Amino acid sequence: MGFAIIIIFLVVGIVFLVFFIIRASSVPKRADQLAGFLQRGKTQAVIKAAKAILEKEPRNADIHYFLGKAFLMEKKEDLAFVEFKTLSQTGAMGDFIPEEDFRKELAQLFIKKKQAEEALKEYILLIKKHPEKPEYYYWAGKLFNERNRSDMAQNYLRKAAELAPRDAKIQFELGVMLYKNKNAKDAKDALERSIKYQSDNAQAYFYLGKIQKDVKDYSGAVATLEKAARDPAYRLRAMLERGSCFLALNSIEKAIPDLERAVKSITEEKAQESLFARYYLAMCYEKIHEMEKAIEQWDKISTYKTGFKDVDAKLAQYQEMREDDAVKDFLSAGNQEFEEICKKLVATAFSLAVKSTKPIPDGVELIAIENATSRKPPRLVRIYRSPDMVDDSKIRSILDDAKLQNMGRAVVMTSTGFTRPGLEYAEQRPIELFGKDKLQSLLKKSISKK
């Protein structure tokens, strides 16, 4: 009896041993099959088989990995992320899992899911295991930079650049980080290296152009930003920067085409770049007295962003232009027509004849007399249509010039107004001031006398 029991136990033990041997040997066989399916692109077969296996073996790391890979190949990143994250949380690495590739793919999935902290952990681990790989330093530096850890970012990006000095992507990321940290010299060097190894990098041209603009190398910046504008994604920003370079050089005619190109490139009206492109373009139009075009840009800005800079004040300032044709003609007339309007103004205001005229910045200067035989000294008149208030320096200037030419009272007319120091300086001095309201009244009278 006892011998029979021993025999039974031996048989049962052998059966279980055979079962586990068969089962253990079948796992690699199944993993091999799934690996083969993946190599041949049979992702649906992998997904179907892996799901069936995981119903019985939910902790099988290799099968989770192959299922995740199949989802990745089918661009189902959400499903792949679930499998890879599950595998990462278990901490198990199966015999068929290439750990380095797995962690690289998981890190990129974390980035796409905006889980930068988790992605950074993966790259730090990869650096420890593979300190010779510049790619991992690059991503660690990029992620530290996005977390505003510029000290750590710089260390990792410099190490990446040291390991791969000819990698344009690494040099670009280092250059941008250095630029944002106000290290213009090193940033310029890195960006130039990036362009050397990737000549069509519009982003690198854009930041290099900004550095040149910051150091007032406007001609260099203009040429560099033109290259950045070849990329539609950077056209608006590049043209805006180019236009501002021309504005800094007071070259309004050259600024306008670039700013018009910037405005045509707008896809998001509420973006800061879009608002500034319209604002600077309106500024240019105002300078050359194309007021309807300027108002059109201010109206657009006001539609998308209330209270942007001084747009509301500009629209209020030029409200009369929309309602009064005389004001509109005065502000938007060409130079020759503007001189004729000013002659009529002088005749209307003082019943004087204009002896001579000459253009001045933002206006015209006239010498007016009573008649050819009059012995009264002529008057020196300056009429401005500048968007700026007339200050005391301009009033000093006209009085000095009138005195040098032995003229009588001077006159200043403006479509805006006068600064407080300007008004105070004019008190008790031989000069008459005509601000916006007086000018508008005179314009109506001069029109009625046509």
Side-chain angles (χ1 to χ4, degrees):
M1 183 70 177
F3 179 73
I5 293 173
I6 292 171
I7 293 297
I8 292 170
F9 274 113
L10 283 172
V11 170
V12 170
I14 291 169
V15 170
F16 272 106
L17 180 62
V18 170
F19 170 78
F20 282 116
I21 290 172
I22 293 172
R23 183 177 179 184
S25 64
S26 69
V27 172
K29 185 177 179 181
R30 287 179 298 179
D32 274 335
Q33 288 175 338
L34 294 183
F37 286 152
L38 279 178
Q39 287 178 354
R40 295 193 296 274
K42 295 183 176 182
T43 53
Q44 281 298 311
V46 173
I47 292 170
K48 183 177 179 181
K51 285 182 176 179
I53 295 169
L54 289 173
E55 285 182 4
K56 298 177 181 178
E57 302 172 40
R59 297 180 64 82
N60 190 315
D62 288 317
I63 305 304
H64 276 294
Y65 174 71
F66 285 126
L67 180 57
K69 285 288 289 185
F71 283 139
L72 272 183
M73 290 173 68
E74 292 202 344
K75 301 190 183 305
K76 297 176 180 178
E77 292 181 344
D78 289 345
L79 295 174
F81 181 61
V82 171
E83 298 303 322
F84 276 34
K85 192 174 180 181
T86 299
L87 184 54
S88 176
Q89 288 171 344
T90 64
M93 286 289 120
D95 296 332
F96 288 82
I97 300 174
E99 184 178 359
E100 183 179 0
D101 289 343
F102 165 70
R103 294 200 179 280
K104 281 169 59 177
E105 290 168 331
L106 178 59
Q108 286 298 306
L109 288 170
F110 276 131
I111 289 171
K112 290 176 181 178
K113 294 296 178 182
K114 301 190 184 308
Q115 296 184 31
E117 189 71 30
E118 296 302 318
L120 186 56
K121 289 177 184 177
E122 295 298 328
Y123 281 117
I124 296 298
L125 183 59
L126 283 166
I127 287 169
K128 289 179 179 178
K129 291 178 175 292
H130 304 279
E132 77 286 356
K133 299 279 185 79
E135 176 188 357
Y136 306 145
Y137 292 96
Y138 163 79
W139 279 106
K142 189 176 173 67
L143 290 165
F144 272 122
N145 197 29
E146 290 173 0
R147 296 172 62 207
N148 296 318
R149 289 291 308 279
S150 59
D151 52 340
M152 297 296 290
Q154 187 168 158
N155 291 338
Y156 281 99
L157 288 171
R158 285 192 183 278
K159 182 63 177 178
E162 177 187 320
L163 291 169
R166 299 171 66 87
D167 190 306
K169 176 182 67 175
I170 291 172
Q171 295 291 349
F172 169 73
E173 194 70 31
L174 177 61
V176 172
M177 188 209 65
L178 291 168
Y179 170 75
K180 291 179 178 178
N181 288 332
K182 305 188 184 307
N183 185 346
K185 182 181 181 301
D186 288 349
K188 182 173 180 287
D189 291 342
L191 291 168
E192 286 176 342
R193 286 194 295 271
S194 177
I195 290 168
K196 179 180 178 180
Y197 301 122
Q198 186 185 348
S199 60
D200 62 346
N201 189 338
Q203 296 180 70
Y205 282 117
F206 175 74
Y207 282 102
L208 181 58
K210 283 179 70 70
I211 290 171
Q212 292 169 319
K213 177 190 165 189
D214 290 345
V215 298
K216 297 182 171 34
D217 176 13
Y218 296 120
S219 60
V222 163
T224 302
L225 290 164
E226 177 62 36
K227 294 176 182 177
R230 294 172 187 169
D231 186 335
Y234 272 78
R235 185 164 298 141
L236 167 57
R237 296 171 69 186
M239 288 297 97
L240 174 58
E241 294 293 338
R242 264 178 60 104
S244 64
C245 286
F246 286 126
L247 283 176
L249 294 168
N250 201 31
S251 182
I252 305 301
E253 283 71 19
K254 289 184 177 180
I256 288 174
D258 281 344
L259 292 170
E260 286 177 337
R261 284 174 67 189
V263 167
K264 286 178 183 177
S265 302
I266 290 174
T267 55
E268 175 50 59
E269 288 284 0
K270 294 182 180 180
Q272 285 291 100
E273 294 88 354
S274 304
L275 297 170
F276 273 104
R278 292 193 183 280
Y279 182 79
Y280 288 136
L281 183 56
M283 180 191 300
C284 291
Y285 286 146
E286 185 183 30
K287 288 281 187 183
I288 62 172
H289 309 296
E290 294 196 17
M291 298 311 304
E292 289 186 350
K293 290 183 177 180
I295 289 171
E296 180 185 354
Q297 296 304 319
W298 289 324
D299 275 334
K300 286 276 190 182
I301 294 169
S302 183
T303 298
Y304 295 107
K305 178 75 172 179
T306 57
F308 184 78
K309 295 181 78 67
D310 60 349
V311 169
D312 291 343
K314 289 291 185 184
L315 288 172
Q317 177 183 342
Y318 292 108
Q319 182 61 34
E320 296 93 342
M321 182 174 169
R322 304 183 181 202
E323 303 167 354
D324 191 325
D325 288 338
V327 174
K328 176 181 175 181
D329 291 342
F330 177 84
L331 291 173
S332 58
N335 291 336
Q336 188 172 351
E337 184 184 355
F338 179 63
E339 284 191 12
E340 293 303 316
I341 292 171
C342 291
K343 287 179 183 179
K344 291 186 177 71
L345 273 174
V346 171
T348 301
F350 309 108
S351 299
L352 299 176
V354 174
K355 181 181 177 182
S356 67
T357 65
K358 73 172 184 179
I360 59 173
D362 294 315
V364 65
E365 178 182 284
L366 308 95
I367 297 177
I369 57 174
E370 285 195 14
N371 54 61
T373 59
S374 174
R375 294 186 177 182
K376 290 183 178 180
R379 293 191 187 188
L380 185 62
V381 183
R382 287 181 183 165
I383 302 177
Y384 295 99
R385 53 176 179 173
S386 166
D388 302 320
M389 304 281 275
V390 175
D391 59 16
D392 56 318
S393 65
K394 289 183 176 177
I395 294 174
R396 289 174 191 271
S397 172
I398 191 171
L399 283 170
D400 290 343
D401 289 348
K403 186 177 180 180
L404 285 172
Q405 299 178 58
N406 294 316
M407 295 188 182
R409 293 180 66 81
V411 178
V412 176
M413 297 182 180
T414 175
S415 57
T416 52
F418 301 90
T419 64
R420 182 176 293 278
L423 292 169
E424 291 174 351
Y425 184 79
E427 290 179 359
Q428 309 302 318
R429 286 183 170 85
I431 188 167
E432 293 181 73
L433 304 181
F434 290 73
K436 181 177 70 173
D437 293 338
K438 286 185 180 180
L439 177 65
Q440 188 175 358
S441 177
L442 286 172
L443 284 169
K444 290 178 180 179
K445 290 179 182 178
S446 68
I447 292 294
S448 68
K449 289 185 178 183
K450 284 184 178 179

